[in-house]
Amino acid sequence: MPRTRKTPAGKTSKTKLSPSDATLDQKLEKLPTGVSRQKYLQKLDSLLPPEDLPDRAYGDLKKKGYIALYRLLYSIRGTEDRLTRLYRQGKIVGGVYLSKGTEAISVGAGYALDRSQGDMLFPMHRDLGAHIAFGQTIERIYCQYMGRSGSPTMGRDGNTHFSDMDRGIIGMISHLGSMLPVAVGAAIGLRNQGKNAVTLNFIGDGGASIGDFHEGLNFAAVANAPFVLVIENNQYAYSTPIVAQYGAERIIDRAIGYGIQGEVVDGNNIYEVYETVRNAVNRAREGGGPTMIEAVSMRMRGHSEHDDHFYVPKELLEAWAQRDPLLRAQRFLAKQGFLTQAEIEILEKQVDAEIEQAIVNADASPLPDPISLNNSVFAS
Amino acid sequence: MPRTRKTPAGKTSKTKLSPSDATLDQKLEKLPTGVSRQKYLQKLDSLLPPEDLPDRAYGDLKKKGYIALYRLLYSIRGTEDRLTRLYRQGKIVGGVYLSKGTEAISVGAGYALDRSQGDMLFPMHRDLGAHIAFGQTIERIYCQYMGRSGSPTMGRDGNTHFSDMDRGIIGMISHLGSMLPVAVGAAIGLRNQGKNAVTLNFIGDGGASIGDFHEGLNFAAVANAPFVLVIENNQYAYSTPIVAQYGAERIIDRAIGYGIQGEVVDGNNIYEVYETVRNAVNRAREGGGPTMIEAVSMRMRGHSEHDDHFYVPKELLEAWAQRDPLLRAQRFLAKQGFLTQAEIEILEKQVDAEIEQAIVNADASPLPDPISLNNSVFAS
Amino acid sequence: MPIMTYIQAISDGMREEMRRDPKVMVMGEDVGVYGGAFKVTKGFIDEFGADRVYDTPLSESAIMGCGLGMAITGLRPIVEFQFADFITSGFNQVVNNAGTMFFRTGNNVSAPVTIRCPSGAGVHGGPFHSQSPEAWFVHTPGLKVVAPSTPYDAKGLMISAIRDNNPVLYFEHKFLYRRVKEEVPEGLFTVPIGKAEVKMAGDDISVIAYGASVHLALDAAERLAEEGISVEVLDLRSLYPFDKEAIVETVKKTGRVLVAHEAWLTGGVGGEYASFIAEECFEMLDAPIKRLGSRDMPFPFAPQLEDKMVLNSETVYRALKDLAQY
Amino acid sequence: MPIMTYIQAISDGMREEMRRDPKVMVMGEDVGVYGGAFKVTKGFIDEFGADRVYDTPLSESAIMGCGLGMAITGLRPIVEFQFADFITSGFNQVVNNAGTMFFRTGNNVSAPVTIRCPSGAGVHGGPFHSQSPEAWFVHTPGLKVVAPSTPYDAKGLMISAIRDNNPVLYFEHKFLYRRVKEEVPEGLFTVPIGKAEVKMAGDDISVIAYGASVHLALDAAERLAEEGISVEVLDLRSLYPFDKEAIVETVKKTGRVLVAHEAWLTGGVGGEYASFIAEECFEMLDAPIKRLGSRDMPFPFAPQLEDKMVLNSETVYRALKDLAQY
Ligand SMILES: Cc1ncc(C[n+]2csc(CCOP(=O)(O)OP(=O)(O)O)c2C)c(N)n1
Ligand SMILES: Cc1ncc(C[n+]2csc(CCOP(=O)(O)OP(=O)(O)O)c2C)c(N)n1
Ligand SMILES: [Mg+2]
Ligand SMILES: [Mg+2]
């Protein structure tokens, strides 16, 4: 089986961050013995993608697909922006963990699955985009965040932790990495029942350090399971930078150690994400086994909306802001002649209206009735 | 940091096992969907080492060292052979898990540490050889297996599960892989207290699948810990062949994914094991970070002495019997002129006598007094 | 009716249900070609094939997690931990992932996984092959827990566990494997989860026990019968949900109760049943409720030590005698 | 004396002991630059440096395992699980590795690790950020377990936990973090592990509680005082070892007992204490021992649901009233 390590995403980009950057250096002072600051600074450069999307065709995408993906991207950005607003208004229960800046990963990957084939999605906490791409309604998402009875969990679990078996979505538990073996087992289970389906799970640069990552991928590799793992490397796990999280050059360097396919993808290029995941999904469906994909991006907000992000060097955020996945996709669509600026504005207005309506509807969803807790623990 | 993958141990050996071997093929019939028999059969060949030890100098070994290592090798073989006898006589408590055929790994690795520097050993269940090489007495080992009060655990734990802090040995719990993070923590702890010590842990081809393997190595890599992991690939985990255990070509292919040094070593060549581990220990001591070493060998007995080994193809055992680490070392010593056949016999007689005496002594050690259980749970 | 040992009955229950329902499968380390560390699944791979008798890598968390994944796609896996002691390595998957699945999905997804836990001491297994960790799971919502003491119950509860649409932990006691046998019906039958059974009727004192401790209680009861003391032995069989009516009934009858288990005393499930009795049967009690368990320490390896640490029938006998004389 | 919140007292205890003993260190996710998810270690990295305030990868089993490894080399690590709920991911290292170290090495190696577990509900954390899993550890030999309810106890028990030569699980309740404050001495002092404290003296009924439930009990006791019912509130503080004398004393005094905790009722530590009382204080009891806990289900997310699932002071009040009227 081939095991490639693709060219790092930023190979062609102009260097934006350098070891001589004093502010950046200062932030990295407090690392325990043995953690290499130098190695980190070199790494940061190589992770940065070019400012524009490579001007080419992406996989099996047609004009409709390019536009649909942009629409989803805009939807999730809008949905999340309003989550912040609602959070500040006190309308949200619990914390809010946003995908700002990394939405292209979850949307592109979610879109690459095929619900009609029985594919299943196992999203993580920063993957609202995948829920939407996989058919979840924005209204139900807001219900979930507001703890309403109209939410898929009936108000029992929060934020992005929600399943929807009708759509083939299994929500996560908080324990990062725990869903990886579950997704692998589902892939094998579907195959053993004669289905031709693929399962997809996400994990972060932090979650990738947990034991289940290893156990699950090893299990998948041995079974040649129809499984795809997307690693969202957004460079931070809560406040922990990747230099204190893993020692390898890239997370994807682990692929050869499992004997599976590994790919690096520019996580701020929604079309490349889609293309890469789509290829992996197709390969898995044809019996080609699991793939792990490292999508490189940058978390543009704090870990949650109550975290002010002070530990992230501003330079890093500025450099990545110029590579915002929406801006890049917009420029690409315009350049390709798929959508004019005017058409983009119309699309966005439509989506905005949809979102506002979803909020109104969700806010009208009743609070959950405590009676619903009776007989809620065991299936009969 | 360099990350090499050395030539597989058997690269130069004549092919001994081939996919056309019908008996072998038959044993591999019952594999779940997705597990590749073909891949396995190819793998088996490449794991087999040449019949003779490469005729060269090994690291910093002098004549005395070559002989000392052989003596330890013979000691452990003799100690274990008698364990089987004692087990059949009903003198052993619990099961007996032998290292027959793979002793060169534990002895060679244990010998490569330096107790005077404060190095610490974290052996696994098939590493009696490492205990001996690290200064444990054969008498105490027999006490341990017979559950006597003279054992390091005072009869509280069995077989190879024993610590001896005075010698810098921390015994394992049964849960495979659990000691890996402990050994990594000890390495960091010693460094943070200004010591220049290295810790070494063993793990099997089976144990390497557990989450702690990943969490521990990742932790070590990030911290650049003075830590060495020796993976004893004896091709079976209980009854499970490596094809059903991991998907990669070699376990050591994981090294690049941690960003640490990786080495493959012929596990039936005690001098190569010593040399490789010694280099890794020296590098770790000098701040060069962790190394993982895959020592390839073959478990020549059942998982334990109550397992008849029926699931291992005879061809495999026959091919490996010709590569027995003792026979190969003997031939090497003779060829180098380090020991004549007559000298070897004298050495072996001495060791035999020591072992018999140790058994007598251990058998005279009292059964543990149940009173010793009082106040045994909490340190004051 | 054939005579079966406890371990044969476990195998038989699994085999029969696998024959009936093609969705049922087994997974774990060495369950396939080897037939399991205790040979419970010996021959299964020949009958059901390698996909239904699934040999896994050595990774308890993945075994449990993958089992859960298979379950949500419609299969009914029997997940085997090679020893109950190793469930700690897959603990999070059991308690947080499997245990909450039905609840947290708004009752949308269920998790029909049977979790086999070969447990118990008396086999010189030392600290990590002798544990009886059922209390952790009785405390965790979303999990059912059973612990048979006889071949009949072992088979019937196995079939019930497999058919249950929830995660069921099945604690089988290694010491009983080949030491107890009885007539067990061929084919399919069930023992309901949540129902206790009086294994010996008596009037003076009740012992509430499960698993191997039932046999300690029966031994002690026989000795006491000779001394004219009549002991009722209630075998809980299900630890959660547990049979509150049966407990109340036996306490009502005797007014004196001993709760006994091999698990560590402190924080053991005995505390649950004893305090249930203390609360619900206060007026019925003629003597303090007595609890017994093994001593609060790791299970020692040497037989001389293990004997003094693990609950035994002598201890049960003496506790009952004390109760009788209260 | 300065006024400290509960969370400040935790920080202060750690800081003072770290100043005194250079072997003491902290490790966990985001404990360094960020100062911990709850800011308990804010500023620590500046004072003690990155090697003593050790930011780890996201890997609970390695955090606990490495902490244990550091401990056996002579350091005294304070290991932080970001939320108590995540201890399940390092469970095996806690119960089987740390818990048995001293015993299994023939008392040759000890494991002085303090394990911080921010636990408890009431903060809308949902099923995986609200748990109180102390019962699992009270049942496991080799582990000590403490759970302070006040700033004074929080600081004093923290220092005792760090100085103890065994693994000590320190359950701190998130709901109390900024909600309780009191005068707490500066500098070093200890609260002994294993000693309970009467937080309110009374004559008619005893409540045995710990952590947040102590405050529920105090609230209920105040209401009942107005109705002329005098309640004694015994704060266990240490769950294992626990203060048997103090329990017997309060039961002797009042003859009526409620055991209350926020953890799930079934299999909770309340069962241990209640059945201890049932066995040891049988003749002193004037009413059945009553137990309260949260409902046996995952902690729900929506506040309306959580309120009906988690133990609250109204429930405690009503249970006490019932007991008074028995
Ligand atoms: C097993 C586990 N440990 C700790 C946490 C607490 N926690 C929640 S999110 C987070 C950081 C996750 O980082 P990463 O995986 O990179 O995902 P990101 O938030 O960056 O998308 C941590 C430590 C958790 N959820 N699970
Ligand atoms: C976590 C865990 N799971 C299961 C077991 C049961 N078990 C003991 S040894 C063994 C096989 C180990 O294989 P390997 O790691 O290759 O070591 P080897 O015995 O071949 O030396 C198994 C499954 C265990 N000890 N620990
Ligand atoms: Mg991240
Ligand atoms: Mg092996």
Side-chain angles (χ1 to χ4, degrees), chain A residues 222-376:
Chain A
V222 170
N224 202 39
F227 169 68
V228 177
L229 178 71
V230 176
I231 302 166
E232 303 192 34
N233 189 344
N234 63 9
Q235 306 193 42
Y236 282 85
Y238 211 142
S239 74
T240 306
I242 50 178
V243 65
Q245 190 65 246
Y246 59 88
E249 228 170 276
R250 295 197 166 252
I251 300 178
I252 205 66
D253 289 345
R254 299 176 193 170
I256 190 174
Y258 296 111
I260 64 174
Q261 187 84 15
E263 310 271 356
V264 178
V265 55
D266 173 353
N268 282 24
N269 179 346
I270 188 163
Y271 303 124
E272 191 184 325
V273 172
Y274 167 79
E275 173 188 55
T276 311
V277 178
R278 183 70 167 184
N279 288 342
V281 167
N282 289 342
R283 190 169 47 240
R285 205 184 304 288
E286 286 153 18
T291 301
M292 57 192 276
I293 298 166
E294 178 176 355
V296 179
S297 185
M298 181 66 192
R299 197 190 73 202
M300 298 302 286
R301 304 215 32 106
H303 171 63
S304 69
E305 289 304 280
H306 59 257
D307 162 14
D308 70 5
H309 223 191
F310 73 90
Y311 47 83
V312 180
K314 274 209 192 63
E315 292 78 0
L316 214 49
L317 294 173
E318 281 160 11
W320 281 90
Q322 290 164 30
R323 288 145 179 93
D324 181 80
L326 271 92
L327 296 180
R328 287 168 94 208
Q330 269 185 24
R331 288 202 294 267
F332 179 84
L333 291 175
K335 213 160 160 188
Q336 299 289 324
F338 291 150
L339 277 184
T340 63
Q341 199 51 42
E343 285 168 327
I344 286 179
E345 274 167 34
I346 293 169
L347 177 155
E348 297 187 350
K349 282 233 173 73
Q350 284 174 348
V351 172
D352 286 344
E354 274 172 35
I355 296 173
E356 295 297 346
Q357 187 59 48
I359 294 174
V360 171
N361 295 353
D363 211 10
S365 172
L367 297 174
D369 187 338
I371 283 180
S372 66
L373 291 180
N374 297 344
N375 301 316
S376 61

Side-chain angles (χ1 to χ4, degrees), chain B residues 124 126 204-206 232-238 299:
Chain B
M124 65 157 213
R126 245 177 265 285
D205 44 287
E232 304 192 32
N233 189 343
N234 63 10
Q235 307 193 39
Y236 282 85
Y238 212 142
R299 197 190 72 203

Side-chain angles (χ1 to χ4, degrees), chain D:
Chain D
M1 250 196 288
I3 303 262
M4 288 185 201
T5 61
Y6 182 90
I7 194 168
Q8 283 167 340
I10 296 170
S11 294
D12 198 48
M14 292 165 68
R15 194 187 300 107
E16 291 292 344
E17 189 62 8
M18 287 180 79
R19 284 178 182 160
R20 189 189 71 81
D21 182 354
K23 303 275 187 196
V24 181
M25 57 169 292
V26 188
M27 61 189 293
E29 295 151 9
D30 309 294
V31 297
V33 173
Y34 196 70
F38 298 102
K39 302 289 180 191
V40 169
T41 50
K42 195 174 167 192
F44 277 42
I45 197 166
D46 298 313
E47 180 168 354
F48 303 109
D51 282 340
R52 288 183 69 198
V53 187
Y54 200 105
D55 256 330
T56 68
L58 198 159
S59 43
E60 277 71 14
S61 190
I63 295 169
M64 186 61 220
C66 287
L68 181 57
M70 293 180 183
I72 64 182
T73 67
L75 296 175
R76 306 187 80 83
I78 305 167
V79 165
E80 173 180 319
F81 289 104
Q82 203 161 72
F83 285 79
D85 313 59
F86 297 133
I87 199 168
T88 50
S89 302
F91 192 75
N92 181 54
Q93 291 289 355
V94 176
V95 303
N96 279 318
N97 221 346
T100 65
M101 184 64 87
F102 184 68
F103 178 87
R104 72 181 157 96
T105 60
N107 301 351
N108 189 227
V109 186
S110 62
V113 189
T114 300
I115 304 168
R116 280 188 51 224
C117 303
S119 61
V123 293
H124 313 324
F128 312 107
H129 288 74
S130 305
Q131 299 175 14
S132 290
E134 54 272 7
W136 296 332
F137 307 98
V138 167
H139 183 50
T140 306
L143 306 173
K144 298 188 180 181
V145 183
V146 301
S149 73
T150 64
Y152 182 91
D153 290 347
K155 180 171 173 183
L157 280 171
M158 174 57 76
I159 295 172
S160 291
I162 298 170
R163 292 185 187 171
D164 199 286
N165 281 326
N166 300 283
V168 179
L169 287 111
Y170 184 95
F171 282 91
E172 49 193 70
H173 200 293
K174 303 190 296 288
F175 188 80
L176 303 181
Y177 273 168
R178 293 173 180 86
R179 287 187 179 85
V180 296
K181 52 179 130 198
E182 66 180 344
E183 287 195 336
V184 176
E186 285 178 296
L188 292 159
F189 69 91
T190 59
V191 167
I193 294 178
K195 288 273 162 253
E197 189 180 62
V198 173
K199 285 285 183 329
M200 181 188 277
D203 300 310
D204 300 333
I205 319 177
S206 303
V207 193
I208 296 172
Y210 59 88
S213 304
V214 170
H215 300 276
L216 303 183
L218 290 169
D219 288 350
E222 274 167 29
R223 272 177 74 185
L224 286 160
E226 286 166 23
E227 301 173 28
I229 299 169
S230 164
V231 176
E232 176 146 306
V233 179
L234 182 71
D235 179 359
L236 279 179
R237 302 197 294 195
S238 286
L239 309 187
Y240 190 85
F242 63 94
D243 192 340
K244 296 184 174 177
E245 289 87 51
I247 292 177
V248 172
E249 206 161 304
T250 190
V251 177
K252 195 186 283 175
K253 193 168 163 193
T254 64
R256 285 159 206 267
V257 204
L258 168 69
V259 182
H261 54 59
E262 186 184 296
W264 297 303
L265 179 67
T266 299
V269 290
E272 179 60 31
Y273 310 131
S275 48
F276 165 77
I277 296 166
E279 187 164 349
E280 300 297 328
C281 312
F282 183 65
E283 306 282 1
M284 307 171 193
L285 289 170
D286 300 321
I289 305 157
K290 175 92 193 148
R291 260 188 322 152
L292 288 177
S294 291
R295 287 168 73 181
D296 291 337
M297 58 178 61
F299 288 81
F301 177 67
Q304 300 73 22
L305 301 182
E306 192 182 8
D307 288 351
K308 292 284 185 260
M309 180 270 175
V310 178
L311 182 69
N312 58 41
S313 117
E314 177 65 25
T315 314
V316 174
Y317 167 81
R318 270 188 279 117
L320 287 171
K321 192 125 192 202
D322 285 352
L323 265 184
Q325 285 159 358
Y326 185 86

